Amino acid sequence: MCGIVGAVSSKNIVPELVEGLRRLEYRGYDSCGLAIIEHGQLTRSRTTQRVNDLLQQSSKMSGRIGIAHTRWATHGKPNTDNAHPHFSANLIGVVHNGIIENYEELREQLKQDGYVFTSQTDSEVIAHLIHKNYIRQDSRHLLLAIQDSLPLLHGAYAIGVIASDQPNILIGARVGSPLVVAYGDHENFLASDALAVAKYSSQMTFLEEGDIAEISENEVRIFNSHGKLVEREIRPVPELAASVELHPYQHYMQKEIFEQPIAISNTLGNIETIGPEIFGANQNDWLGINSILILACGTSYYSSCVAKYWIESMAGISVQVEIASEYRYRTSVPNPLALVVVVSQSGETADTLAALRHAKNLGHSKTLAISNVATSAMMRETAWQFQTRAGVEIGVASTKAFTTQLASLYLLTLTLAKLNQRLPQAIEKREINALRHLPLAIHSVLALEPQIISWAERFSKHKNALFLGRGMHYPIALEGALKLKEISYIHAEAYPAGELKHGPLALVDESMPVVTVAPNDELLEKLKSNMEEVKARGGELYVFADAGSNIKSTPGIYVIRMPENYGNLSPIIHVIPLQLLAYHTALTLGTDVDKPRNLAKSVTVE
């Protein structure tokens, strides 16, 4: 979602602000801007183009304190007036991530006080509200004005604030949206993502809920929601800087598809035995667990749906997978013996985080987070944690985060099976060996890229597509359709293959390509019957088949044969060619692969 960078320094910070925004481009945005204090005045530059355009616009700006922002539109169109930073009376400058739910009420009150609004955003009310509380002080104090203003804001926010008459102070505050303070040499930073400042800092602090940070060139003071001065842990900045380089790849998505063997290898680590200890728990912690509730959104929801098949068949435990954005808004029946698992690439997904908190309020105490970010809110707010080690994922369309989630959820499956006495030692050893072989198996699938490129050229001529799968491969078909629609803008839907005759078959004709995930498993013969239904209606079939499946290329049926059948881990293998198909189709169509329109990487608003 939106990105924030702020800095106070002994030198010109404009280049650092722009570089910070460049590193946040992966989150998705439709405008960007920065503001500095220059010669005692607030000066800003804003654009609806890319950060490179902002770099050109701001090349002659110079200041030692500033704030910058990439915006993903929620309130108001993507235009320059709605771009951040927002000013109030050329005295207060604000950048904001999140949503202010009561902005309309505040906007009307501020209009009555004489404030003129120049944007349609909810964020502009923050600038005017702080200004109102700032100018009524006998002795102006920016921190106090912000402390007076924040209780009036309802919703989620991370903000950065500067005042033209206090050119040495940057204020940051967070409620519901992540914000970090980073420490440099005669300069300190504020950012919504540690990646933004990894090049300039080696230490940072994650602000906690309700914290306000007062930042100067050589000092950082942090106050909690009660206004009390507190100390927060200072941590090393993660090794992120090298991860943002493309190296030989054309796009980050392509790079991240090909990074999946090492990402899965890093996620699995050197696991020698299966047990709750992998997740930071012990045997007694998980004894008595009789069901699993998984909460997730988007791609993470699809990985969780695969896990349902795994856990129920291998561990014999009932699994419920809920779309996080729906779960908290319905009446559910809590089970205190259930393990609640939240799955999120960023660990900051607003809907999933809210669903976790709702589950805890209902009495669920057994909670586990699976996330790619060790320091994220979900990892801090659950009883147990497992970090996927995918590395930084820049492309908006998730690839390596998805497959490392699957690997992690398979470890969870094996752990639950072992606790239920359903994983004999010999099978445990076999499963660990199969996991260790995954990176090599993925390398073999990546070698199919030239064949997939030829499919993509044909695919790019269509406007719609169907994806079919059965059993645990149905969620993989869903993921394949999601990838195609995300980055190529071709309308794609996925169905369990057995559902064709219950509606989707009406759409099938010679203009409707049908992608079929066809592993050589117990459902293969059923799937072949579904394929015949498509063929009989003149549909084109594009089949990813395992060796030994006896599905041959004939007119109207195109087959790419996978290197091997991989049993229960087949979903991890079969999603790789679907990622490549989406990528190369989008490449053929000339879309912005890494930054698809209207989408954002880390969805930190509802």
Side-chain angles (χ1 to χ4, degrees):
M1 295 295 286
C2 305
I4 286 175
V5 187
V8 189
S9 178
S10 59
K11 63 179 186 298
N12 177 27
I13 45 78
V14 172
E16 294 177 356
L17 293 176
V18 174
E19 173 63 16
L21 292 186
R22 187 183 72 80
R23 288 167 168 256
L24 295 180
E25 284 190 288
Y26 77 98
R27 296 169 73 98
Y29 66 104
D30 42 47
S31 63
C32 56
L34 64 84
I36 59 169
I37 300 174
E38 191 171 21
H39 308 303
Q41 300 292 323
L42 281 176
T43 304
R44 69 182 166 190
S45 177
R46 300 182 292 177
T47 179
T48 55
Q49 303 302 310
R50 294 301 183 192
V51 170
N52 281 340
D53 185 65
L54 184 68
L55 174 63
Q56 297 300 318
Q57 287 189 25
S58 61
S59 60
K60 295 183 180 180
M61 296 172 63
S62 179
R64 297 192 302 162
I65 182 170
I67 49 178
H69 191 266
T70 54
R71 176 179 184 255
W72 185 78
T74 55
H75 297 74
K77 294 180 179 180
N79 59 35
T80 306
D81 287 340
N82 290 328
H84 296 221
H86 291 293
F87 287 178
S88 181
N90 287 320
L91 178 61
I92 301 294
V94 169
V95 288
H96 165 230
N97 288 357
I99 287 179
I100 304 303
E101 295 172 354
N102 63 331
Y103 85 99
E104 291 176 325
E105 174 189 341
L106 291 172
R107 189 182 182 101
E108 290 307 311
Q109 292 173 0
L110 289 162
K111 281 184 176 179
Q112 292 176 17
D113 292 332
Y115 286 93
V116 176
F117 285 78
T118 59
S119 79
Q120 290 78 49
T121 69
D122 57 332
S123 306
E124 192 178 358
V125 302
I126 303 173
H128 292 318
L129 186 60
I130 292 171
H131 179 271
K132 178 181 175 180
N133 286 316
Y134 188 58
I135 62 172
R136 71 183 183 186
Q137 299 173 7
D138 292 333
S139 177
R140 293 179 180 177
H141 198 298
L142 185 58
L143 175 66
L144 293 178
I146 293 171
Q147 288 174 324
D148 289 342
S149 301
L150 296 188
L152 301 175
L153 302 175
H154 302 162
Y157 53 80
I159 61 174
V161 187
I162 54 176
S164 61
D165 60 352
Q166 293 195 20
N168 301 310
I169 297 296
L170 166 67
I171 304 288
R174 66 151 295 187
V175 170
S177 291
L179 203 59
V180 302
V181 172
Y183 308 91
D185 183 16
H186 295 292
E187 58 185 3
N188 291 311
F189 302 91
L190 188 70
S192 53
D193 188 324
L195 178 62
V197 293
K199 186 175 181 179
Y200 306 110
S201 174
S202 60
Q203 293 184 312
M204 66 182 193
T205 294
F206 285 86
L207 296 185
E208 297 186 8
E209 193 76 353
D211 280 355
I212 301 177
E214 184 182 60
I215 304 167
S216 62
E217 177 186 325
N218 295 307
E219 183 183 20
V220 173
R221 297 197 303 162
I222 299 174
F223 301 84
N224 64 16
S225 57
H226 302 293
K228 182 181 178 181
L229 188 64
V230 294
E231 291 188 7
R232 300 295 188 214
E233 181 183 358
I234 297 176
R235 311 178 185 211
V237 172
E239 293 292 334
L240 300 170
S243 302
V244 300
E245 302 303 328
L246 272 172
H247 299 299
Y249 298 100
Q250 190 171 355
H251 296 93
Y252 285 109
M253 184 178 179
Q254 182 188 30
K255 175 176 182 278
E256 287 152 12
I257 289 171
F258 279 84
E259 284 176 342
Q260 287 175 109
I262 187 64
I264 286 179
S265 179
N266 289 341
T267 295
L268 296 173
N270 297 313
I271 292 173
E272 299 289 341
T273 185
I274 299 297
E277 297 78 13
I278 295 171
F279 302 91
N282 59 50
Q283 294 282 125
N284 292 331
D285 289 333
W286 286 12
L287 288 178
I289 289 174
N290 63 8
S291 67
I292 309 296
L293 170 62
I294 310 180
L295 306 171
C297 297
T299 286
S300 298
Y301 173 74
Y302 295 148
S303 68
S304 302
C305 289
V306 175
K308 176 181 174 69
Y309 286 93
W310 283 340
I311 295 171
E312 292 195 342
S313 65
M314 298 175 67
I317 299 176
S318 175
V319 179
Q320 184 177 359
V321 183
E322 293 260 9
I323 296 173
S325 58
E326 294 292 327
Y327 168 73
R328 65 183 292 221
Y329 293 113
R330 70 174 186 83
T331 301
S332 56
V333 181
N335 173 10
L337 295 179
L339 175 64
V340 176
V341 184
V342 287
V343 185
S344 166
Q345 183 272 330
S346 67
E348 302 286 353
T349 307
D351 289 313
T352 309
L353 195 53
L356 168 65
R357 291 166 180 165
H358 177 65
K360 291 168 72 174
N361 288 336
L362 291 176
H364 288 287
S365 60
K366 298 178 183 293
T367 56
L368 166 67
I370 294 176
S371 171
N372 195 39
V373 182
T375 52
S376 63
M378 285 179 210
M379 300 284 263
R380 297 196 302 270
E381 295 185 25
T382 48
W384 305 293
Q385 305 81 29
F386 184 89
Q387 182 186 5
T388 60
R389 299 186 180 276
V392 176
E393 189 178 63
I394 302 294
V396 168
S398 181
T399 52
K400 62 179 180 175
F402 178 76
T403 49
T404 54
Q405 284 174 0
L406 286 174
S408 307
L409 288 163
Y410 198 73
L411 287 175
L412 177 61
T413 300
L414 296 178
T415 299
L416 295 169
K418 189 172 183 178
L419 289 173
N420 276 8
Q421 310 298 315
R422 294 172 65 125
L423 190 72
Q425 188 172 0
I427 295 179
E428 178 182 349
K429 183 177 180 181
R430 186 188 72 195
E431 293 287 358
I432 291 174
N433 287 337
L435 285 167
R436 286 175 175 163
H437 183 63
L438 264 177
L440 184 60
I442 292 173
H443 274 298
S444 298
V445 178
L446 291 170
L448 299 173
E449 186 179 29
Q451 298 176 58
I452 295 169
I453 290 173
S454 69
W455 279 18
E457 291 171 354
R458 290 197 290 266
F459 241 77
S460 64
K461 297 177 175 62
H462 295 281
K463 300 295 184 183
N464 302 281
L466 285 175
F467 285 68
L468 302 179
R470 297 204 72 145
M472 62 185 174
H473 293 85
Y474 165 51
I476 297 305
L478 286 165
E479 174 65 9
L482 176 64
K483 286 293 155 285
L484 186 69
K485 72 179 78 171
E486 279 182 316
I487 63 170
S488 74
Y489 315 143
I490 293 174
H491 175 250
E493 298 297 335
Y495 285 89
E499 285 293 294
L500 261 179
K501 53 189 171 291
H502 296 291
L505 201 56
L507 299 173
V508 173
D509 59 18
E510 64 279 357
S511 66
M512 175 69 77
V514 180
V515 179
T516 307
V517 182
N520 190 12
D521 59 16
E522 68 277 4
L523 292 172
L524 180 61
E525 293 307 314
K526 295 286 187 184
L527 184 62
K528 286 181 179 178
S529 298
N530 304 136
M531 291 167 55
E532 288 298 326
E533 294 171 351
V534 172
K535 186 178 178 182
R537 274 76 181 179
E540 279 190 342
L541 283 157
Y542 293 79
V543 185
F544 291 101
D546 281 347
S549 63
N550 293 319
I551 301 175
K552 298 180 180 179
S553 293
T554 59
I557 300 180
Y558 305 96
V559 179
I560 290 180
R561 205 163 300 284
M562 306 289 281
E564 58 184 307
N565 178 277
Y566 219 66
N568 284 327
L569 291 170
S570 174
I572 301 177
I573 301 299
H574 270 276
V575 78
I576 308 295
L578 300 183
Q579 295 170 349
L580 286 169
L581 178 62
Y583 170 73
H584 284 290
T585 302
L587 202 62
T588 302
L589 291 169
T591 63
D592 193 340
V593 173
D594 288 331
K595 305 179 187 72
R597 66 189 183 202
N598 303 333
L599 299 181
K601 182 65 180 173
S602 179
V603 185
T604 53
V605 297
E606 286 193 72

